[in-house]
């Protein structure tokens, strides 16, 4: 006798429970990540201005290098979740191991590039003569931890695909605590200065990678999955990740263009832009947590050949995205009297930032839809479409943003262009989700 499908209300409650169970721990893990840089800055800042400036340059380079490979988490989540939905945990973990091996190879490649070119990279980013030696020291030592950082990304993707976002939260919190303790001990206790901060971060990252590998290897042994590198599997992971790499590079180019335009508008505009961008990034963490839940849930439904379940989950997550965007937007407006003075006492900067802040608040429901549908299509393995959509968005955003200094409007006009960018993303993602072409069922896409 065939079991009747759950009633609509029961189905919604089930989707809600799944979204909350995955999104809340994911949000905690996402917020813990930038705390690494904050802890390093707080400790190194007491060494001197030149040391802190050097850390800022080196951290920006490292963050850029690692964020480019975030596809290791995204692509792995989708692939593993499909196998989980198909009921093949052995193949799911084997797929995850391929992602981890790819992370190790990419990490070794990045080290080979960064070590000899560190001074040139620091100079390219405009470090002063006093800060450059500290930036070079920190970059060279910290680059040794890049393989561990990429293993953490890939392993996080494995666990998310296995519908586990709690373990990444625990590891992220543990890593933050270890990083802070090691940095303080090595910088001041051992007297290593900025090099101690770099070594503390490297040790903490390898500790996190070791915990992840222990969890994944234990799962592999339990389900009889091979731990050996598989050339075909690694190549398949790289092919699946390539479109997401294009998407990520396009998005980072958009953010770089926005910062470059803000710098041309003047000091007050640039300072205000930095404040608004930091808030925009914080809000993105909250919405990205729902997207991560979407990657895991959609991949599992499609792997189980449950197209209807994938559609219903997508619809419910979009509702979550809109509601979260409305709440976040209202919080931004309510917190304005506290938020802006927290960053600056300059009334000119505050006045410049306020209209842009309103735009960010009003556009949060749009951002909610964008992040959720981005996660849905990633979970479906629809990387090529995401790449082309982001390239189109970049092509439309760039000329509009670059005309801002000429046409006027200042920072408000620039964030108007950013809102246009998010609107274009929303339209391209909505059209794809509405078409249903992303729905490809089975253990592999």
């Amino acid at each position: 006798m065939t079991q009747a499908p759950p009633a609509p209300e029961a189905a919604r409650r089930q989707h809600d429970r799944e979204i909350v169970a995955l999104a809340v721990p994911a949000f905690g893990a996402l917020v813990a990540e930038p705390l690494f840089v904050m802890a390093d800055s707080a400790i190194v800042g007491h060494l001197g201005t030149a040391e802190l400036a050097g850390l800022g340059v080196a951290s920006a380079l490292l963050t850029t290098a690692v964020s480019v490979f975030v596809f290791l988490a995204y692509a792995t989540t989708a692939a593993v979740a499909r196998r989980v939905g198909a009921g093949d945990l052995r193949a799911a973990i084997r797929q995850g191991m391929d992602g981890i091996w790819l992370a190790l190879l990419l990490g070794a490649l990045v080290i080979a590039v960064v070590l000899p070119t560190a001074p040139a990279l620091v100079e390219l980013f405009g470090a002063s003569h006093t800060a450059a030696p500290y930036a070079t020291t920190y970059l060279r030592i910290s680059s040794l931890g890049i393989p561990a950082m990429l293993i953490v990304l890939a392993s996080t993707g494995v666990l998310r695909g296995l519908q586990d976002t709690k373990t990444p939260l625990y590891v992220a919190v543990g890593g933050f605590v270890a990083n802070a303790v090691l940095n303080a001990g090595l910088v001041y206790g051992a007297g290593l200065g900025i090099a101690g901060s770099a070594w503390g971060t490297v040790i903490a990252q390898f500790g996190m990678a070791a915990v992840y590998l222990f969890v994944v290897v234990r799962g592999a042994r339990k389900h009889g999955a091979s731990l050996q590198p598989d050339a075909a599997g690694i190549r398949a992971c790289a092919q699946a990740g390539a479109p997401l790499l294009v998407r990520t590079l396009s998005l980072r180019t958009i953010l770089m263009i926005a910062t470059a335009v803000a710098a041309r508008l003047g000091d007050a505009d640039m300072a205000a832009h930095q404040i608004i961008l930091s808030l925009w990034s914080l809000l993105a963490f909250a919405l990205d947590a729902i997207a991560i839940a979407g990657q895991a849930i959609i991949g599992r439904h499609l792997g189980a050949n449950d197209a209807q379940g994938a559609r219903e989950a997508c619809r419910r997550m979009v509702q979550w995205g809109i509601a979260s965007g409305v709440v976040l937007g209202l919080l931004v407006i309510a917190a304005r009297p506290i938020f802006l003075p927290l960053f600056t006492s300059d009334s000119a900067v505050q006045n410049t930032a306020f209209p842009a802040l309103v735009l960010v608040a009003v556009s949060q429901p749009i951002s909610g839809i964008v992040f959720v549908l981005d996660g849905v299509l990633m979970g479906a393995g629809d990387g090529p479409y995401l790449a082309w959509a982001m390239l189109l968005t970049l092509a439309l955003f760039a000329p509009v943003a670059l005309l801002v200094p000429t046409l006027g409007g200042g920072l408000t006009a620039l964030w108007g262009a950013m809102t246009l960018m998010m609107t274009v993303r929303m339209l391209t993602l909505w059209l794809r989700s509405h078409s249903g072409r992303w729905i490809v069922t089975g253990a592999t896409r």
Side-chain angles (χ1 to χ4, degrees):
M1 183 175 180
T2 305
Q3 185 177 2
E9 184 60 33
R12 280 196 296 271
R13 286 198 298 268
Q14 181 180 347
H15 288 312
D16 289 345
R17 285 193 296 269
E18 286 188 331
I19 293 168
V20 170
L22 291 170
V24 172
F27 174 68
L30 288 170
V31 170
E33 291 174 10
L35 293 179
F36 272 80
V37 177
M38 290 179 63
D40 288 359
S41 299
I43 292 169
V44 171
H46 292 285
L47 292 174
T49 302
E51 287 89 340
L52 184 58
L55 173 67
V57 172
S59 294
L61 283 162
L62 283 168
T63 301
T64 300
V66 174
S67 64
V68 163
F69 298 111
V70 73
F71 70 84
L72 288 166
Y74 294 158
T76 304
T77 297
V80 171
R82 276 184 176 268
R83 299 284 191 178
V84 169
D88 192 349
L89 289 177
R90 178 180 178 180
I93 296 176
R94 173 64 259 181
Q95 189 96 40
M97 285 304 305
D98 291 334
I100 291 172
W101 279 111
L102 176 61
L104 189 60
L105 292 173
L106 290 173
L109 178 63
V110 173
I111 288 178
V113 172
V114 171
L115 281 180
T117 61
L121 291 172
V122 166
E123 183 179 355
L124 182 65
F125 264 58
S128 67
H129 293 302
T130 54
Y134 297 112
T136 301
T137 296
Y138 190 93
L139 181 60
R140 277 183 165 155
I141 296 173
S142 292
S143 68
L144 300 176
I146 287 178
M149 296 178 196
L150 299 189
I151 288 172
V152 166
L153 282 178
S155 301
T156 301
V158 176
L159 295 181
R160 288 174 182 170
L162 293 171
Q163 318 296 296
D164 175 11
T165 56
K166 290 183 179 179
T167 300
L169 171 60
Y170 300 148
V171 176
V173 172
F176 166 71
V177 172
N179 179 67
V181 172
L182 285 166
N183 271 257
L186 294 173
V187 170
Y188 297 111
L192 297 179
I194 195 169
S197 177
W199 281 117
T201 300
V202 169
I203 294 169
Q205 291 289 350
F206 271 102
M208 293 171 65
V211 173
Y212 274 120
L213 289 175
F214 173 78
V215 173
V216 174
V217 169
R218 184 179 61 183
R221 288 175 175 168
K222 178 180 177 180
H223 296 286
S226 172
L227 300 175
Q228 300 298 317
D230 176 64
I234 295 172
R235 186 165 54 250
C237 285
Q239 290 171 346
L244 296 180
L245 175 62
V246 173
R247 168 203 167 274
T248 301
L249 288 173
S250 300
L251 179 57
R252 292 206 62 89
T253 301
I254 287 171
L255 298 178
M256 288 173 64
I257 289 173
T259 299
V261 170
R264 293 176 61 190
L265 296 175
D267 289 346
D269 291 85
M270 182 60 209
H273 175 74
Q274 187 60 34
I275 294 171
I276 300 300
L277 187 61
S278 66
L279 174 64
W280 191 77
S281 300
L282 178 63
L283 297 172
F285 282 131
L287 298 174
D288 202 27
I290 304 175
I292 288 170
Q295 293 172 31
I297 293 170
I298 294 297
R300 192 190 71 231
H301 278 297
L302 294 178
N305 294 310
D306 184 7
Q308 184 60 29
R311 290 190 186 92
E312 291 173 356
C314 174
R315 188 179 305 113
R316 189 57 178 163
M317 280 183 285
V318 168
Q319 293 169 357
W320 269 79
I322 295 172
S324 299
V326 170
V327 171
L328 290 173
L330 292 174
L331 287 175
V332 168
I333 296 299
R336 180 196 65 82
I338 302 172
F339 177 76
L340 289 176
L342 185 65
F343 283 85
T344 179
S345 57
D346 189 329
S347 59
V349 175
Q350 291 185 17
N351 293 334
T352 301
F354 178 64
L357 191 69
V358 173
L359 277 175
V360 169
V362 171
S363 65
Q364 282 310 293
I366 295 174
S367 297
I369 297 172
V370 168
F371 277 87
V372 167
L373 291 181
D374 210 33
V376 166
L377 297 185
M378 283 184 190
D382 203 13
Y385 181 83
L386 290 172
W388 284 111
M390 190 59 80
L391 285 171
L392 172 64
T393 303
L394 171 59
L396 294 174
F397 168 80
V400 174
L402 292 173
L403 282 173
V404 167
T406 302
L407 298 180
L411 190 68
T412 304
L414 175 59
W415 276 93
M418 290 288 286
T419 303
L420 172 65
M421 177 271 292
M422 293 301 289
T423 303
V424 172
R425 288 187 69 190
M426 181 186 70
L427 291 174
T428 57
L429 295 172
W430 181 84
L431 287 171
R432 185 63 167 184
S433 66
H434 190 68
S435 73
R437 293 177 183 174
W438 57 278
I439 300 176
V440 179
T441 58
T444 58
R445 183 176 173 86

